[in-house]
């Protein structure tokens, strides 16, 4: 992992793709009714604490964050964003639902279409001196950004549209707490 990751995060220009906090056990039954939280897996108490801690750690390390925070339309991702960044606007991006769908039974064509669109998102550089935060879902193993722990973050350096991106590191919530020693 990059030795100066904290320095790079403070300089900005990166994308922090984070998975939501720990959710309740069960299966999502929303079928597109994202405002119906009772049909979804939601944040557990532990997940709420993780989300709050995540935001506290980013503020503690003085990592500049771009508003709005981008979140998947699920209640657990929106709540994660609101708890982590209580004074920052949250913008729902329905495309991040597609990431969630990668865990389903998709054809190779469907999967590749989603991954190519996601790559384009990760290639777009945020404004200089600030980082973009996306709160979404884990990926299936060896797909996209791979498996991400609850409230884990993949730190991505965009190279510009059509130029690709580089994964600088994958941080667990515990890693984030000790960034200065990584």
């Amino acid at each position: 992992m990059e030795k100066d990751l904290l320095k790079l995060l403070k300089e900005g220009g990166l994308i922090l793709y984070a998975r939501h906090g720990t959710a309740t056990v069960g299966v999502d039954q929303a079928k597109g009714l994202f405002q119906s939280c009772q049909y979804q897996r939601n944040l557990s108490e532990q997940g709420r604490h993780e989300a709050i801690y995540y935001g506290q750690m980013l503020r503690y390390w003085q990592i500049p964050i771009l508003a709005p925070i981008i979140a998947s339309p699920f209640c657990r991702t929106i709540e994660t964003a609101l708890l982590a960044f209580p004074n920052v606007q949250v913008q729902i991006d329905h495309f991040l639902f597609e990431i969630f769908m990668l865990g389903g039974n998709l054809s190779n064509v469907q999967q590749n279409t989603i991954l190519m669109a996601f790559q384009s998102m990760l290639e777009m550089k945020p404004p200089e001196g600030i980082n973009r935060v996306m709160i979404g879902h884990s990926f299936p193993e060896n797909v996209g950004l791979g498996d991400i722990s609850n409230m884990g973050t993949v730190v991505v350096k965009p190279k510009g549209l059509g130029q690709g991106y580089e994964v600088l590191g994958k941080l667990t919530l515990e890693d984030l707490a000790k960034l200065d020693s990584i």
Side-chain angles (χ1 to χ4, degrees), residues 90-117:
V90 174
Q91 177 182 325
I92 295 168
D93 187 332
H94 286 273
F95 175 75
L96 293 180
F97 171 68
E98 302 290 324
I99 302 303
F100 173 79
M101 294 304 295
L102 287 171
N105 291 328
L106 299 179
S107 70
N108 286 341
V109 170
Q110 290 171 310
Q111 190 177 59
N112 288 335
T113 301
I114 293 168
L115 291 171
M116 284 172 42

Side-chain angles (χ1 to χ4, degrees), residues 1-88:
M1 187 178 305
E2 183 74 43
K3 201 71 172 138
D4 299 319
L5 190 55
L6 179 57
K7 181 177 178 281
L8 292 171
L9 285 164
K10 286 183 175 191
E11 289 173 0
L14 305 176
I15 295 173
L16 283 65
Y17 180 89
R19 181 182 181 186
H20 57 80
T22 302
T24 54
V25 179
V27 178
D28 294 301
Q29 301 166 11
K31 305 280 189 273
L33 298 172
F34 294 111
Q35 63 277 22
S36 302
C37 296
Q38 70 267 29
Y39 300 113
Q40 301 175 33
R41 292 172 51 235
N42 293 294
L43 285 187
S44 64
E45 271 311 303
Q46 178 183 345
R48 289 184 185 95
H49 292 295
E50 290 167 349
I52 291 167
Y53 186 67
Y54 181 78
Q56 289 172 337
M57 284 294 96
L58 292 181
R59 287 185 290 282
Y60 173 80
W61 293 120
Q62 300 176 337
I63 296 170
I65 300 300
L66 178 67
I69 304 299
I70 308 299
S72 159
F74 280 96
C75 295
R76 62 184 172 269
T77 52
I78 296 167
E79 187 178 10
T80 295
L82 292 171
L83 288 170
F85 307 99
N87 301 314
V88 181

Side-chain angles (χ1 to χ4, degrees), residues 13-17 95-96 112-128 130 132 134 139 145 154-167:
L14 305 176
I15 295 173
L16 283 65
Y17 180 89
F95 175 75
L96 293 180
N112 288 335
T113 301
I114 293 168
L115 291 171
M116 284 172 42
F118 186 63
Q119 176 169 335
S120 294
M121 285 178 83
L122 294 181
E123 290 175 343
M124 292 191 313
K125 295 180 181 183
E128 197 138 332
I130 200 157
R132 179 177 293 119
M134 296 180 190
F139 291 75
L145 298 176
V154 180
V155 181
V156 175
K157 179 179 178 138
K159 295 182 177 181
L161 209 47
Q163 304 297 308
Y165 62 89
E166 178 185 353
V167 173

Side-chain angles (χ1 to χ4, degrees), residues 160-179:
L161 209 47
Q163 304 297 308
Y165 62 89
E166 178 185 353
V167 173
L168 299 181
K170 214 173 197 182
L171 303 170
T172 64
L173 192 53
E174 294 76 25
D175 291 336
L176 191 57
K178 54 184 185 195
L179 257 179

